[in-house]
Amino acid sequence: MEKFYLTTAIAYASRKPHFGNTYEIIMSDAFARFQKSQGKDVFLCTGTDEHGQKIENLATEAGITPQAYVDGVSGEIKKIWDLMGVEYDHFIRTTDDYHVAAVKKIFKKFYDKGDIYKGFYEGWYCTPCESFFTETQAAGGICPDCGRPVTQAREEAYFFKMSKYADRLIKHIEDNPGFIEPESRKKEMVNNFLNAGLQDLCVSRTSFKWGIPVDFDEKHVTYVWLDALTNYITAIGYDPDKSFEEQSEKFKKWWPADVHIIGKDILRFHTIYWPIFLMALDLPLPKKVFGHPWFNFGNDKMSKSKGNVVFADELAETFGVDAVRYYALSEMPYNSDGSITYESVISRYNNDLANNLGNLVSRTHAMTKKYFGGIVPAPEKCEPIDDELKAAVAKGISESVKLMNAYHVADSLDEIFTMLRRANKYIDETMPWALAKNEEDKPRLATVIYNLLETIRVGAVLLAPYIPQTAKNIFSQLGTDKTDFASVSSFGALEAGKPLGEAFTLFARIDEKKFLEEMEAKIKAAAEAAKPIEEPEHEAEIGIDAFSAVELRVAEILSAEPVPKAKKLLKLQVDLGYEKRQVVSGIAKFYTPDQLVGKKVCLVTNLKPAKLCGVDSYGMLLASGEEDVRVVFLDPEAKNGDRIH
């Protein structure tokens, strides 16, 4: 079998991936499944990039170690990849021991070879992108990739001699037209970076510690991109101590990669730095780097502050996994950014999946059951219009395959759905319900129904890489085991005389108005939550003596009941260990009595007694908020009566 090794860019383990991040793994999985359907031996590698200053900062903010932080985020990323039905062959983490060991050796190999030297880095650095920029590239102190502010950095660092390999890389790009795709991306890399002259690349950092240490100079950690890029070879067993000929059979089988599927924003790292690193290691270059566009929310980038971040797992709760996969794959253009809106998600779902595909399967299954007792009929009487349908099926097969091989994923899917639309039109043209009225038209009816069932089967075979569970559901309803790509080489593989499986709805229509109202409410809530809190008015400063004058102690709530004729008040009996007291608190709108009994609270015990709605109160509970009050609950192990300092 011909091998096919494809990789995704490993996801940066800083935050939960949004819909745009998830597109890449969905596309890569669809492409891997497609190549398998074409009879190739496929290896799909994905994973998480877990080092760098940004992660160290986030871990510090969270009050945990960087390793604990990336363990959590990497686990969440893997969970979403699994939810999306991704059949990856290897999930690498850059904190994996074997990867760390290999990167250390690679760095030393570059140094021993004279490709790395020590110096000082001074210039602009973007922490979110983990990228260095020149004064010209970071015009106005703004990162050219993400648009965030960059900072000036000066530190001791090791540098890689990029210029040593620049001419060789330019020649490789010229001699291999398909190395960088789309073509526009190639022109961007050549004109903006290579022809402008490559500067030596900073490949170590000393201003933070969360990275792979440089063995021979341990105050340095390896630059995160040198660390991350090498995952494509360490994941398949690369040993830096051996030549290519001496590598393991696994490595020699899969390398070079057939394609790196990445986002357009990291093309520079994959088409300039990575090929040069491979040249320095005397390894073959990947056959292709495909830089896909981005998904924006409408016309804007997804942003938490705007409340427009969309997550694939949340969409799947409403629409299902295959609907999310279908939307991602059908909506992203080949060479320009895609756009996601909730309106377009619903439109794609209702029009393409529920109406075009789902309704075609449902109608055809129902007619087969009604007119032929659920048994696949044998075609008996053909007419010219049948040839038109078969021609549409043949075109759907050939064009979808050709386009998928060229990475035009959305166009490939469109060809399949064009074929399905033609089948729906065929129903209207042949009018099976009219043929069923006359016994002499039964042979013609059998042919029409068979052609529809076979077209649906072919559609399921073609759709299997894109929406695999839906394809399985269709095969189940057809009661067929003719599911491989070889079975569509000619029209008619569906076996007549066999019973169909049980019918069920593939995609139930979504109520657009109701869904959009719910999403609008969620977006508003998210935007409100993301707004920075305005600094409140402060009380005058007090000394420690004034603070110490307030006696705070641990109290356990023994009972709670409403105060008659007072909607806001609850009467509480509390235990301070050395005595019991009655306290009246204005928390009735926010807590029921059963939510409070047994809880430990913070009580102001030296407050003068007060009478509230005729009920005596001997203290006050600590709580936060004005409109949404929340009682400050203490650790259940706190001892009743203990002083709170």
Side-chain angles (χ1 to χ4, degrees), residues 57-64 69:
N57 292 346
L58 288 168
T60 300
E61 291 172 14
I64 57 178
Y69 186 88

Side-chain angles (χ1 to χ4, degrees), residues 185-229:
R185 310 265 189 260
K186 180 179 84 170
K187 291 178 180 177
E188 178 187 346
M189 293 300 106
V190 172
N191 294 335
N192 293 358
F193 295 99
L194 288 170
N195 288 345
L198 281 183
Q199 293 189 329
D200 290 349
L201 178 69
C202 177
V203 290
S204 78
R205 302 292 306 277
T206 53
S207 56
F208 62 92
K209 294 298 182 185
W210 183 239
I212 298 177
V214 175
D215 269 352
F216 54 89
D217 197 343
E218 291 200 351
K219 70 178 180 179
H220 289 256
V221 295
T222 306
Y223 175 44
V224 67
W225 274 105
L226 173 56
D227 167 7
L229 288 165

Side-chain angles (χ1 to χ4, degrees), residues 335-379:
N335 198 25
S336 57
D337 288 348
S339 172
I340 180 171
T341 63
Y342 292 115
E343 290 86 351
S344 63
V345 172
I346 295 170
S347 176
R348 282 276 187 188
Y349 180 91
N350 284 341
N351 294 333
D352 292 359
L353 297 177
N355 286 356
N356 191 9
L357 175 59
N359 198 36
L360 174 63
V361 174
S362 177
R363 292 170 74 190
T364 304
H365 193 287
M367 288 189 293
T368 307
K369 188 172 183 179
K370 182 176 181 180
Y371 304 139
F372 297 97
I375 304 298
V376 178

Side-chain angles (χ1 to χ4, degrees), residues 129-142:
C129 295
E130 304 280 5
S131 301
F132 300 99
F133 295 103
T134 64
E135 190 78 34
T136 304
Q137 291 168 334
I142 298 298

Side-chain angles (χ1 to χ4, degrees), residues 432-578:
W433 53 90
L435 294 171
K437 293 178 180 179
N438 302 307
E439 188 63 29
E440 61 268 25
D441 288 330
K442 199 74 177 283
R444 178 60 190 151
L445 177 61
T447 303
V448 169
I449 296 299
Y450 180 85
N451 289 342
L452 288 168
L453 291 170
E454 174 66 351
T455 301
I456 290 169
R457 187 193 68 82
V458 172
V461 171
L462 298 180
L463 287 171
Y466 310 87
I467 45 176
Q469 188 56 52
T470 300
K472 288 179 183 178
N473 290 342
I474 294 173
F475 293 139
S476 170
Q477 294 193 49
L478 293 177
T480 183
D481 59 1
K482 305 295 182 182
T483 62
D484 63 336
F485 188 80
S487 71
V488 303
S489 58
S490 61
F491 193 92
L494 186 66
E495 296 174 283
K498 287 196 170 185
L500 297 181
E502 289 297 316
F504 52 90
T505 302
L506 292 175
F507 299 97
R509 285 185 62 81
I510 298 290
D511 184 328
E512 181 175 1
K513 184 173 182 292
K514 180 182 177 184
F515 177 81
L516 291 177
E517 286 174 352
E518 291 173 353
M519 289 313 304
E520 185 178 358
K522 285 184 180 180
I523 290 171
K524 284 183 179 178
E528 195 63 34
K531 283 182 181 179
I533 299 173
E534 292 184 11
E535 185 173 358
E537 292 185 10
H538 298 288
E539 303 290 345
E541 287 185 354
I542 62 172
I544 188 66
D545 292 340
F547 175 74
S548 297
V550 179
E551 186 177 339
L552 302 173
R553 292 191 181 274
V554 178
E556 181 179 355
I557 299 176
L558 301 176
S559 66
E561 61 182 81
V563 174
K565 299 181 181 181
K567 293 181 180 179
K568 296 181 180 180
L569 301 179
L570 287 179
K571 182 171 68 174
L572 312 174
Q573 301 299 326
V574 302
D575 182 7
L576 284 160
Y578 55 86

Side-chain angles (χ1 to χ4, degrees), residues 159-179:
F159 291 83
F160 190 100
K161 298 176 182 177
M162 287 281 143
S163 56
K164 177 179 175 181
Y165 297 92
D167 290 343
R168 183 174 160 189
L169 177 57
I170 292 171
K171 186 175 187 309
H172 180 85
I173 293 172
E174 290 173 348
D175 293 346
N176 297 271
F179 176 59

Side-chain angles (χ1 to χ4, degrees), residues 287-348:
K287 297 176 184 177
K288 187 185 300 295
V289 179
F290 181 77
H292 63 75
W294 290 342
F295 255 116
N296 296 323
F297 187 87
N299 296 319
D300 298 325
K301 283 187 178 181
M302 293 187 197
S303 165
K304 284 189 175 181
S305 62
K306 294 178 181 177
N308 65 2
V309 178
V310 181
F311 296 105
D313 56 337
E314 294 177 3
L315 277 181
E317 291 175 6
T318 299
F319 297 95
V321 169
D322 270 9
V324 174
R325 287 176 63 104
Y326 175 74
Y327 183 84
L329 298 170
S330 62
E331 197 69 21
M332 178 70 88
Y334 172 74
N335 198 25
S336 57
D337 288 348
S339 172
I340 180 171
T341 63
Y342 292 115
E343 290 86 351
S344 63
V345 172
I346 295 170
S347 176
R348 282 276 187 188

